[in-house]
Amino acid sequence: QVQLVESGGDLVQPGGSLSLSCAASGSIFRIYRMGWYRQAPGKQRELVASITNDGTRNYADSVKGRFTISRDNAKNSVYLQMNSLKPEDTAVYYCNSQPILFYWGQGTQVTVSS
């Protein structure tokens, strides 16, 4: 079973940037499409970005042009670079496959506030 560990969340001012990382155990990781999801208080978890094993990317309209997803299969890791952050980006961010196949990690809190 793949285990996922997210990191990099923080408190940042509107307009700022953050870089999130997700480390996955197990080399089987590299065959899956991976995604970054987020869950804001009182809202359902949503997919914000995904990347196939050969690097094809897709983004939710709400983050398109501001977020960039990437992966390093050699390191069993997936990343999310977030720029021009807005208060509505505040959420706990998680990584998982798409579709979801693995247990959720603990997530990493991103708070965008002045």
Side-chain angles (χ1 to χ4, degrees):
Q1 178 62 275
V2 173
Q3 293 184 324
L4 303 166
V5 179
E6 301 91 350
S7 62
D10 206 345
L11 170 64
V12 63
Q13 292 188 343
S17 297
L18 278 177
S19 181
L20 306 184
S21 298
C22 170
S25 64
S27 60
I28 196 172
F29 157 89
R30 65 192 61 196
I31 71 174
Y32 294 104
R33 177 196 297 257
M34 294 297 295
W36 279 97
Y37 301 77
R38 68 185 180 188
Q39 187 166 22
K43 294 188 177 181
Q44 289 189 330
R45 197 169 302 186
E46 61 173 347
L47 176 69
V48 297
S50 66
I51 185 168
T52 64
N53 58 357
D54 64 357
T56 301
R57 299 169 171 86
N58 284 284
Y59 299 94
D61 287 343
S62 59
V63 306
K64 201 170 293 183
R66 300 188 298 121
F67 290 10
T68 302
I69 188 171
S70 61
R71 68 191 294 165
D72 185 337
N73 289 335
K75 295 183 178 179
N76 290 341
S77 294
V78 61
Y79 309 98
L80 188 68
Q81 177 64 40
M82 305 187 295
N83 298 327
S84 302
L85 283 161
K86 304 175 181 180
E88 51 263 44
D89 294 319
T90 295
V92 180
Y93 284 71
Y94 304 85
C95 67
N96 210 315
S97 60
Q98 188 207 4
I100 296 165
L101 297 173
F102 310 131
Y103 291 116
W104 293 101
Q106 83 288 349
T108 188
Q109 176 70 50
V110 172
T111 302
V112 185
S113 175
S114 55

